[in-house]
Amino acid sequence: MDTSEGTVIGVFTCEQCDLSSPYTFYGQKPPNTRAIVLLEECYGMRDPFNPEREKFLVLGSKCCLCKKTVCVGTECSIFYTKRFCLPCVREHLEQFPEQIQMELAKKKTAKKM
Amino acid sequence: MCDKRGDTQEWDWGSPQCRAQLDEVFFRQHDYIQARGAEHAEFWTFFERFQRFKAKKEMAGSREGKARKKGATGAADLGLPKEYDPRYRINVSVRTRDVEDRLEGSRRRTPTGPGSQEIAECRLALLHFLDFTQKQSFGKLVKLRREQRNLPIFQYRDRILDLVRNYPAVVVAGDTGCGKSTQVPQYLMSSGFSHIACTQPRRIACISLAKRVSMESLNQYGSKVGYQIRFETSRTPATKLLFLTEGLLLRQLQQDGQLSRYSVVVVDEVHERHLHCDFLLGVLRSLLSQRTDMRLVLMSATINIALFSSYFGGAPVLQVPGRLFPIQVIYQPIPPEEQASRSEKLDPRPYLRVLQGIDQRYPAEERGDLLLFLSGMAEISTILEACQTYASHTGRWIILPLHSTLSIAQQDKVFDIAPPGVRKCIISTNIAETSVTIDGVRFVADSGKVKEMSFDPKAKMQRLQEFWISRASSEQRKGRAGRTGPGVCYRLYAESDYEAFAPYPVPEIHRVALDSLVLQMKSMGLGDPRSFPFIDPPPASSIQTAITYLKQQGALDTRGELTPIGRLLSQLPVDVVIGKLLVLGSLFNLVEPVLTIAAALSVQSPFLRTAQHNPDCSTARQPLNSDLGDPFTLLNTFNAWVQVKGERGGGSRKWCRRRGLEEQRLYEMANLRRQFKELLKSHGLLEEGGQDRVSAEGRAQRRERLSERQRLHQLHREHQLQEGRRRKVLRLDEGAEGPSSGSDTDTPPSASKDQEGAANSMDIQEVKFKLRHNVSELREAACASADMSSRQTALLRLLLCRGLYPQLALPDEHNATRKDSEQVFHTRNKQGIVIHPTSVFASDPEVLHVPEHESSALGAGKEESSKHQLLAFVTLLETNRPYVSNCVRLPVLQALLLVADSVDSNADCTRLVLDGWVELGMADAEAALKPLSSALTLRAEWERLLQAQLGHAGPASTSGLGFTGPKPARRELDKLREGLVRFLLYTEVNYSLKRLTGLQAQNLYVGPQVGHSELTLPPLFPGMQSEPDPVKGGLRITNYFTYNCLCDSKDLYSECLRTFWSCPHCDLHMPFTPLERMQHEATCRPAEEQQPEEDPDTVKTAASSSLTRLYHCDVCNKSLNLTSTEILRHKRQHLA
């Protein structure tokens, strides 16, 4: 195995958008990052776009409500102290602060156009 | 808050000291982001922006604050914080409690340093920064995946993998833009195949594809995806997918016929039908039946797919639509009055009309460049000139040429961007048809012509001729207009012309000399090349020509099997003649200059054509020129360059520019040279050197060299991490200025741009060069060959001549009375050749003329002189005229006697015919015999030592022929070298020189003689039988020399031919026939040599075998053990 890559554990696939990529760690602690801690259990890999070896990239995690695996893209999920997939956010929209509600509304109209 | 610390005033975010203190908290040595790294700098830039953003937000936020929070009144079952804070959107946290605690403690004592306020602010910014970088990278990933999905081939992914799993060979056919080259190898890799080779016809494609595919497979900084080309590889044990050239895969097949290191081979661009590709397909086809586990994927444009499928037993074909935008085709045939006849220059009017038409029809704001296809360089410069006038008139165009002899910096210009309102017009050869892809082309103008190399086996000459292109090429050219948007293609021919075009281009295998191919086939043990199942077999005659040629060159024996030298040649990635030169050089102490010359003759010329007419360049080049010939000029140039590199390192770039040299070629030479050296070493033809030097090197020096290497490696890595050359905006006058314009070559108008661009690429070339080569060793070698004595250069010329033979040309007898530009030369099969203008003999033809006062006129064309010269040349290429290039000059008599395949003489040897086309006449029979006799002796010795050297050669001999003779003794070599040099430099015989006409050559020989068979002489050399020649008549003395076969011959034994001669060695004085005299000379050695003080064993046997032999006298019917002289004496006795 390529030393700079870490061992591939499996393939991460977003259940919302189908984006997929191999992942090399799962959890709150990306390897070799000292003080950095993730606030959720994440699927991640070495950042393929950064020449430095220790840089990581979070691909996604599980929605705290429906437990679906989703990517971190804004079309699929948001993080607000926890990970929520967009369908779950919409379902519980009233519990989210106004800023997030507005954001989602904007997204909807943008999509319609 | 401020009251926590009294001295907040002193906290200044901009101050380096304050930042350094925070660095201690967040960016320590093992932290995710470390102080002094690139990201660290980015963070602080981000920090400033973030602070500004926050300040603005706070101002606005005071208003917003009141309207806040009405929502979160419902059931808080999600446990979300009620107050919105962007902080909650970030899924990362940074723990620095340990450091902070320490800091807290120390602050109690000394109240400087950041307070918790500052730390909190910095932490918040850091979190946002991390979130920002995550978003950035994730965005790239999303974009990449989206692009992959949008490729036409994406729909076929599973189908392709299915086919590959189930069939040994699969054809994937798809047009430009379908994504096959980048995606198919990735599909294979991601589905679990792990030893994938993907061949490309071009080196540059290997590198760019490896780069692209490693990025797309998220392995940009790893080595899962690599490339390998002639001198460069990025392959590591982790490499799963390797892009390599077709030629290289063939070389690997040569070493491992099973190709066991790969499980899948992808052959891309098979429709281009390159020589190597066609051959590769043949080899792979038979390999598939042996290796049932191997998979083969052929990738092609949608051209002639059935051919490939049926060749592989009906392999399944998957056809993928391309992604081209619609292209409007406009036929604008050139009216008859504007069509150039063969001798005329191209009429630019039809091309100018295209530019005008674009200007009239399309507003300047609508971007889109024009790509114009012409057949060759001359055509390009004609049209370029006319277009440039138009461009400077309208200010709407930048005209750029594109062909392979431009410097790399100039070639790169076509990728730059035109300023707004201006279009690029790129005037190109067919290089832009497939090899070079330029973005942003919207218009294509196609002349419909191409210049293609063909091979004339009779004259052994390459021919560059203009042809109509094929329909396939025509479509390919058109397609270049539709890569980025809808386009327009102007065809400068009629639709009926198009329909009359051949459907496909002629495959290379039908057009070129097959010498190297046949040699390679032989070395791979593929049997008779004539019965090899090529996809489209070449004409049998062309294979036969190659076999005959290889036999002539000694690479194949009479049964068509590889000789030791042939085996060696088959492993050198160069022409047979260059390979021969290397082998010859290894025999004498001339390896270093020969390596350089062989390398120089195998790459494109470093001399830029465009710089030729620049007087400054010519002046600067002057000291490098050698009037001995172009190979010596190249040698001088390389040596001087190496010196400059040693002294000034990167300064060599400037040095090259001053002289109009393309430095890239010199780097290639250095690489090739090294490869040759290693090959010679691995074959035992070159002793491993430099060991002593390394051990003698002091420890300190070694350490220094090691750290230097580390530094270089670091630089190399850094370069690899950087993105490629960035596109620049062109200036309007970019095309107008000549490439070597500006009398001061160091600061031409566009120098700042060029230098900057080149500086980066330059540095990396320099770094690679230093990593690859031991510069001081190179310098020593360069020094050694820079002050070669005239004797060494003489020998070197001879080696070149023998290596290049039969590529020889004679000057026309009337050249001295002609203008410099009208000097004419002739080879055996081709008359009226001119010297290529780049050659030193084109600018200085006098050195080839026979000095007038030296020649004694004996009637027209019968001038006798000892100064006749011939040219040995590397290439003979016919364009509008046949040209020879890379020439070296040699004295005719000496050169031909030493290298010619056939030397025929009359009875007294005053008339010699060499190779059936050069006749030498000597008035003085006494003087005539001397050089012939010397040449016979020298050649025999040369051949013997060469065979000994080759027999000794390493792996080839042990595996192949099983005979390992003793290595030729240094002493013998020195003697031979001395003999050859003397012969070449100090033979002073006046002779006339004449080329024979076809008719004369036909009636040259006396023909077989009946009843003369009893006239056998004892062999001239031990073990060589002289016998009547069955075709020419006369006596065949050696395999190349036939005595007395020329028509005017007098009778062999007629007494009048005997003339008195005294041997300088043994003082024998008596009448000899010419043959008897040569015989005596071949065996009689000077006194001092008869008792050589070397190894007594070998001397004894050698002496007894060479000096005496068993002689049976028919007259007295006795068998005697005599030396040749004694035999002659004995015979005289009977005659008297």
Side-chain angles (χ1 to χ4, degrees):
Chain A
M1 198 67 241
D2 204 330
T3 47
S4 62
E5 295 307 295
T7 313
V8 172
I9 301 172
V11 175
F12 165 88
T13 306
C14 172
E15 290 181 51
Q16 283 288 116
C17 72
D18 239 21
L19 175 110
S20 80
S21 169
Y23 67 95
T24 53
F25 72 85
Y26 178 71
Q28 287 186 279
K29 193 76 194 87
N32 310 318
T33 50
R34 200 162 176 183
I36 303 247
V37 176
L38 299 174
L39 301 176
E40 54 175 339
E41 302 273 328
C42 289
Y43 295 92
M45 66 188 296
R46 205 196 77 85
D47 182 350
F49 306 103
N50 196 313
E52 283 176 57
R53 250 170 216 210
E54 281 77 27
K55 298 294 179 251
F56 66 90
L57 173 63
V58 170
L59 296 166
S61 60
K62 291 195 170 96
C63 169
C64 67
L65 293 177
C66 68
K67 306 297 176 205
K68 271 188 184 165
T69 303
V70 285
C71 74
V72 297
T74 51
E75 301 295 315
C76 298
S77 73
I78 62 163
F79 186 83
Y80 189 69
T81 69
K82 287 174 239 173
R83 178 72 53 189
F84 299 93
C85 70
L86 281 202
C88 285
V89 177
R90 290 208 177 91
E91 205 172 303
H92 303 278
L93 198 59
E94 74 296 340
Q95 294 193 40
F96 284 87
E98 200 181 345
Q99 281 84 350
I100 290 177
Q101 295 181 16
M102 268 156 57
E103 237 174 73
L104 250 67
K106 247 188 237 164
K107 215 169 265 172
K108 244 182 190 165
T109 54
K111 257 193 182 162
K112 269 175 197 162
M113 293 195 315
Chain B
M1 274 189 238
C2 293
D3 52 358
K4 268 192 181 177
R5 281 171 63 227
D7 47 9
T8 304
Q9 295 337 64
E10 284 173 32
W11 188 260
D12 171 13
W13 282 110
S15 114
Q17 287 82 8
C18 290
R19 287 187 180 187
Q21 283 172 328
L22 284 168
D23 288 348
E24 281 303 305
V25 180
F26 293 103
F27 311 119
R28 289 162 303 160
Q29 207 186 353
H30 296 288
D31 267 322
Y32 190 60
I33 295 172
Q34 291 154 23
R36 283 180 296 281
E39 283 216 310
H40 175 251
E42 273 170 43
F43 166 75
W44 283 111
T45 320
F46 177 87
F47 181 86
E48 282 161 25
R49 255 189 302 150
F50 184 70
Q51 294 291 83
R52 280 200 298 276
F53 173 78
K54 238 176 31 175
K56 226 193 270 170
K57 194 90 184 230
E58 263 161 32
M59 300 259 289
S62 53
R63 269 178 282 124
E64 207 182 86
K66 290 168 208 152
R68 206 181 41 181
K69 285 298 131 217
K70 56 175 193 226
T73 46
D77 60 342
L78 296 180
L80 298 177
K82 293 193 176 72
E83 296 237 350
Y84 180 81
D85 190 322
R87 165 75 191 82
Y88 298 140
R89 303 290 298 272
I90 300 171
N91 67 348
V92 187
S93 98
V94 177
R95 290 193 179 150
T96 50
R97 186 110 311 258
D98 51 330
V99 201
E100 284 171 59
D101 286 349
R102 235 181 321 120
L103 214 64
E104 190 67 29
S106 71
R107 200 171 44 238
R108 283 200 196 103
R109 276 167 272 131
T110 49
T112 56
S116 51
Q117 164 79 15
E118 284 78 25
I119 290 183
E121 264 183 62
C122 187
R123 179 201 310 282
L124 187 63
L126 176 57
L127 291 178
H128 278 277
F129 179 67
L130 289 174
D131 191 50
F132 167 74
T133 55
Q134 284 289 317
K135 284 205 170 96
Q136 242 185 352
S137 285
F138 189 78
K140 284 185 192 166
L141 178 67
V142 170
K143 180 168 173 255
L144 198 144
R145 290 292 194 239
R146 190 173 53 225
E147 282 170 359
Q148 285 177 326
R149 263 160 212 256
N150 288 341
L151 285 169
I153 201 158
F154 184 74
Q155 311 299 325
Y156 301 86
R157 182 182 188 271
D158 295 337
R159 179 95 186 95
I160 290 169
L161 289 172
D162 230 36
L163 287 174
V164 173
R165 280 192 203 100
N166 294 317
Y167 294 89
V170 176
V171 180
V172 176
D175 283 322
T176 319
C178 79
K180 59 184 187 310
S181 299
T182 53
Q183 302 304 302
V184 171
Q186 283 186 72
Y187 297 165
L188 293 169
M189 194 164 60
S190 65
S191 76
F193 289 102
S194 64
H195 300 283
I196 309 163
C198 182
T199 70
Q200 292 293 325
R202 285 167 288 276
R203 276 180 243 169
I204 188 84
C206 293
I207 302 177
S208 58
L209 276 172
K211 214 171 184 176
R212 176 75 203 171
V213 171
S214 64
M215 202 271 275
E216 283 195 25
S217 52
L218 309 182
N219 200 262
Q220 196 174 352
Y221 303 102
S223 59
K224 260 197 257 178
V225 182
Y227 65 88
Q228 189 169 5
I229 55 176
R230 190 147 80 165
F231 302 119
E232 241 182 290
T233 183
S234 65
R235 174 188 200 139
T236 71
T239 302
K240 291 179 162 187
L241 165 61
L242 185 72
F243 288 93
L244 74 176
T245 55
E246 291 155 351
L248 205 66
L249 189 65
L250 278 170
R251 295 265 160 221
Q252 293 180 353
L253 270 160
Q254 219 172 330
Q255 280 141 25
D256 169 18
Q258 292 292 304
L259 217 54
S260 42
R261 63 177 111 174
Y262 302 117
S263 59
V264 192
V265 175
V266 182
V267 184
D268 201 358
E269 318 282 10
V270 287
H271 64 278
E272 289 188 19
R273 304 293 307 278
H274 294 278
L275 179 65
H276 280 149
C277 184
D278 271 16
F279 179 37
L280 187 61
L281 290 183
V283 179
L284 290 173
R285 192 174 80 152
S286 64
L287 186 57
L288 277 185
S289 60
Q290 294 165 48
R291 277 196 58 192
T292 45
D293 61 317
M294 197 174 84
R295 289 292 178 266
L296 179 63
V297 181
L298 307 184
M299 301 208 286
S300 146
T302 48
I303 294 173
N304 218 353
I305 309 162
L307 175 74
F308 299 106
S309 167
S310 65
Y311 186 57
F312 283 93
V317 175
L318 194 100
Q319 199 158 340
V320 182
R323 190 172 58 181
L324 268 188
F325 293 91
I327 300 162
Q328 183 194 0
V329 177
I330 299 169
Y331 287 96
Q332 283 187 1
I334 296 174
E337 68 273 14
E338 291 175 6
Q339 270 167 15
S341 71
R342 272 196 72 175
S343 55
E344 276 175 313
K345 271 191 171 182
L346 216 54
D347 191 326
R349 282 177 291 177
Y351 303 90
L352 287 172
R353 274 202 295 277
V354 171
L355 270 70
Q356 279 166 340
I358 292 170
D359 282 342
Q360 281 159 13
R361 245 160 285 163
Y362 305 92
E365 311 81 66
E366 275 183 30
R367 300 210 69 130
D369 299 323
L370 167 66
L371 177 59
L372 208 163
F373 285 101
L374 292 175
S375 63
M377 272 168 53
E379 290 75 10
I380 289 177
S381 61
T382 307
I383 302 304
L384 186 76
E385 208 178 303
C387 288
Q388 232 138 36
T389 315
Y390 177 75
S392 59
H393 181 67
T394 59
R396 288 173 70 171
W397 293 88
I398 289 172
I399 318 286
L400 299 168
L402 177 62
H403 50 78
S404 59
T405 62
L406 287 177
S407 75
I408 285 146
Q410 275 180 294
Q411 285 187 14
D412 274 347
K413 269 191 195 166
V414 303
F415 301 109
D416 290 336
I417 310 159
V422 177
R423 299 178 200 281
K424 277 188 293 182
C425 166
I426 298 151
I427 310 185
S428 170
T429 58
N430 62 340
I431 190 175
E433 203 176 294
T434 45
S435 314
V436 180
T437 300
I438 306 154
D439 283 332
V441 170
R442 181 178 170 193
F443 307 99
V444 163
D446 176 14
S447 68
K449 298 283 176 61
V450 68
K451 273 191 186 149
E452 243 171 23
M453 205 67 99
S454 59
F455 179 67
D456 177 348
K458 196 178 155 282
K460 196 78 191 154
M461 175 177 74
Q462 297 203 302
R463 194 173 274 144
L464 193 64
Q465 276 176 301
E466 196 179 77
F467 297 101
W468 282 112
I469 56 173
S470 65
R471 288 204 292 277
S473 296
S474 171
E475 288 302 292
Q476 181 72 28
R477 288 181 178 188
K478 176 183 107 185
R480 292 303 190 179
R483 290 175 54 83
T484 33
V488 184
C489 175
Y490 300 90
R491 285 178 169 162
L492 302 180
Y493 41 86
E495 195 163 4
S496 56
D497 291 329
Y498 172 80
E499 272 147 19
F501 288 172
Y504 317 110
V506 180
E508 197 179 1
I509 200 166
H510 288 262
R511 291 189 277 119
V512 299
L514 302 180
D515 312 335
S516 300
L517 180 74
V518 169
L519 194 61
Q520 200 170 13
M521 293 179 79
K522 285 287 178 189
S523 84
M524 290 167 80
L526 294 175
D528 187 351
R530 279 162 289 211
S531 54
F532 185 81
F534 284 106
I535 188 163
D536 189 353
S541 65
S542 128
I543 292 181
Q544 189 51 53
T545 307
I547 293 177
T548 312
Y549 176 74
L550 291 171
K551 282 182 181 169
Q552 260 174 26
Q553 296 287 349
L556 297 179
D557 62 19
T558 44
R559 288 168 302 134
E561 298 303 319
L562 274 185
T563 60
I565 192 171
R567 194 175 307 276
L568 182 64
L569 293 178
S570 74
Q571 296 185 28
L572 296 170
V574 287
D575 263 8
V576 173
V577 285
I578 306 288
K580 252 171 69 192
L581 179 63
L582 285 171
V583 175
L584 290 168
S586 75
L587 188 62
F588 300 114
N589 248 344
L590 276 175
V591 181
E592 298 297 345
V594 163
L595 284 170
T596 304
I597 289 180
L601 297 178
S602 309
V603 303
Q604 250 186 49
S605 169
F607 297 106
L608 290 169
R609 288 293 301 276
T610 42
Q612 227 190 339
H613 306 295
N614 181 325
D616 294 318
C617 283
S618 325
T619 315
R621 270 185 202 174
Q622 196 54 46
L624 303 174
N625 289 345
S626 162
D627 73 353
L628 294 176
D630 308 306
F632 289 88
T633 303
L634 287 165
L635 179 66
N636 292 343
T637 304
F638 183 81
N639 286 339
W641 176 70
V642 168
Q643 294 303 343
V644 171
K645 278 218 102 52
E647 285 158 22
R648 284 181 267 166
S652 63
R653 191 169 49 89
K654 193 166 152 189
W655 184 88
C656 285
R657 203 171 45 224
R658 271 229 171 94
R659 284 153 187 82
L661 291 166
E662 175 56 56
E663 190 167 31
Q664 189 55 35
R665 308 278 168 262
L666 294 162
Y667 283 117
E668 286 169 15
M669 275 184 219
N671 291 337
L672 199 55
R673 192 181 183 286
R674 187 181 134 145
Q675 191 189 14
F676 289 162
K677 197 168 190 173
E678 274 157 16
L679 272 163
L680 289 181
K681 271 186 195 161
S682 70
H683 285 77
L685 290 174
L686 186 63
E687 272 150 50
E688 304 279 339
Q691 303 291 2
D692 320 335
R693 205 175 308 125
V694 172
S695 56
E697 189 181 51
R699 210 193 248 165
Q701 273 172 294
R702 195 155 55 223
R703 204 178 310 124
E704 196 179 305
R705 213 162 45 101
L706 266 173
S707 72
E708 163 82 357
R709 282 189 76 80
Q710 273 168 0
R711 193 183 61 84
L712 290 169
H713 272 296
Q714 180 62 29
L715 279 171
H716 193 207
R717 257 194 306 277
E718 276 168 21
H719 171 81
Q720 283 183 324
L721 298 181
Q722 280 166 13
E723 270 305 292
R725 175 180 183 271
R726 227 172 265 153
R727 303 214 292 171
K728 303 204 173 69
V729 177
L730 290 161
R731 289 144 36 99
L732 199 52
D733 58 353
E734 198 86 46
E737 70 192 39
S740 54
S741 76
S743 48
D744 182 2
T745 21
D746 290 324
T747 47
S750 64
S752 56
K753 180 193 102 88
D754 275 356
Q755 273 168 352
E756 190 191 314
N760 288 330
S761 65
M762 179 54 220
D763 281 344
I764 193 61
Q765 288 300 341
E766 166 83 10
V767 168
K768 282 190 194 169
F769 176 77
K770 284 196 170 154
L771 275 176
R772 232 176 250 154
H773 306 282
N774 183 338
V775 181
S776 61
E777 209 176 288
L778 256 181
R779 276 185 79 185
E780 271 174 48
C783 267
S785 55
D787 13 278
M788 278 195 298
S789 64
S790 62
R791 304 167 76 82
Q792 280 172 307
T793 53
L795 188 60
L796 192 48
R797 277 153 74 200
L798 182 61
L799 296 190
L800 274 163
C801 179
R802 182 161 177 195
L804 296 175
Y805 178 83
Q807 292 162 195
L808 306 177
L810 283 178
D812 188 85
E813 46 271 33
H814 303 297
N815 272 356
T817 58
R818 288 198 178 99
K819 278 199 289 188
D820 280 10
S821 56
E822 285 167 9
Q823 303 284 310
V824 182
F825 295 79
H826 313 279
T827 71
R828 184 178 185 176
N829 300 311
K830 186 81 192 169
Q831 269 80 55
I833 294 167
V834 291
I835 292 186
H836 199 266
T838 51
S839 171
V840 63
F841 298 122
S843 47
D844 193 10
E846 286 86 24
V847 296
L848 296 173
H849 296 162
V850 175
E852 259 173 58
H853 60 276
E854 300 264 359
S855 62
S856 54
L858 289 174
K862 270 273 180 182
E863 281 160 62
E864 286 211 343
S865 167
S866 60
K867 307 277 191 223
H868 294 292
Q869 295 188 87
L870 57 70
L871 291 180
F873 60 86
V874 179
T875 36
L876 169 54
L877 170 69
E878 188 174 76
T879 54
N880 51 352
R881 299 186 73 175
Y883 286 104
V884 282
S885 46
N886 280 327
C887 310
V888 61
R889 64 184 169 96
L890 286 112
V892 175
L893 176 78
Q894 294 94 310
L896 284 179
L897 283 179
L898 287 177
V899 305
D901 265 347
S902 119
V903 179
D904 303 316
S905 81
N906 62 358
D908 60 0
C909 298
T910 51
R911 190 170 153 238
L912 296 174
V913 173
L914 298 134
D915 283 336
W917 72 289
V918 182
E919 187 185 75
L920 308 181
M922 280 147 286
D924 180 357
E926 164 66 27
L929 215 48
K930 180 86 183 102
L932 179 60
S933 177
S934 308
L936 291 176
T937 315
L938 287 168
R939 276 181 81 154
E941 187 64 1
W942 196 357
E943 209 47 47
R944 187 178 71 79
L945 294 179
L946 191 60
Q947 288 309 321
Q949 167 92 340
L950 287 170
H952 179 80
S957 67
T958 44
S959 63
L961 296 166
F963 89 92
T964 321
K967 217 176 146 61
R970 175 92 359 243
R971 182 183 192 84
E972 293 176 302
L973 285 172
D974 288 344
K975 205 181 124 213
L976 172 62
R977 181 167 52 221
E978 185 58 27
L980 289 172
V981 169
R982 269 172 175 286
F983 181 67
L984 209 64
L985 291 180
Y986 306 124
T987 302
E988 293 266 342
V989 184
N990 282 333
Y991 57 95
S992 64
L993 172 66
K994 197 177 121 193
R995 284 176 301 111
L996 297 178
T997 63
L999 198 65
Q1000 285 168 319
Q1002 271 175 30
N1003 303 313
L1004 208 51
Y1005 302 113
V1006 289
Q1009 306 284 297
V1010 241
H1012 276 228
S1013 52
E1014 73 276 12
L1015 293 181
T1016 45
L1017 276 180
L1020 187 56
F1021 301 101
M1024 212 173 263
Q1025 215 61 49
S1026 58
E1027 51 192 22
D1029 190 290
V1031 182
K1032 296 176 180 175
L1035 269 185
R1036 211 175 147 80
I1037 307 295
T1038 68
N1039 60 351
Y1040 56 91
F1041 176 46
T1042 313
Y1043 171 71
N1044 198 25
C1045 62
L1046 295 180
C1047 243
D1048 67 355
S1049 293
K1050 298 145 203 174
D1051 181 38
L1052 173 62
Y1053 276 105
S1054 66
E1055 200 60 15
C1056 64
L1057 275 177
R1058 282 222 162 72
T1059 48
F1060 271 95
W1061 177 72
S1062 46
C1063 173
H1065 300 325
C1066 65
D1067 288 332
L1068 178 73
H1069 181 77
M1070 55 185 279
F1072 282 95
T1073 67
L1075 220 47
E1076 283 165 353
R1077 180 180 146 187
M1078 276 189 271
Q1079 215 173 356
H1080 178 88
E1081 281 187 294
T1083 47
C1084 183
R1085 287 281 173 275
E1088 67 271 20
E1089 273 181 39
Q1090 288 189 5
Q1091 288 89 34
E1093 53 276 62
E1094 59 189 318
D1095 194 350
D1097 289 350
T1098 57
V1099 173
K1100 238 180 234 162
T1101 52
S1104 60
S1105 68
S1106 75
L1107 293 177
T1108 68
R1109 65 172 167 273
L1110 199 64
Y1111 170 73
H1112 181 82
C1113 176
D1114 294 330
V1115 183
C1116 51
N1117 207 10
K1118 267 188 252 173
S1119 287
L1120 303 160
N1121 211 23
L1122 299 174
T1123 66
S1124 315
T1125 327
E1126 289 161 346
I1127 298 171
L1128 283 174
R1129 278 210 196 97
H1130 181 86
K1131 281 205 254 169
R1132 289 288 299 162
Q1133 204 182 295
H1134 292 299
L1135 287 165

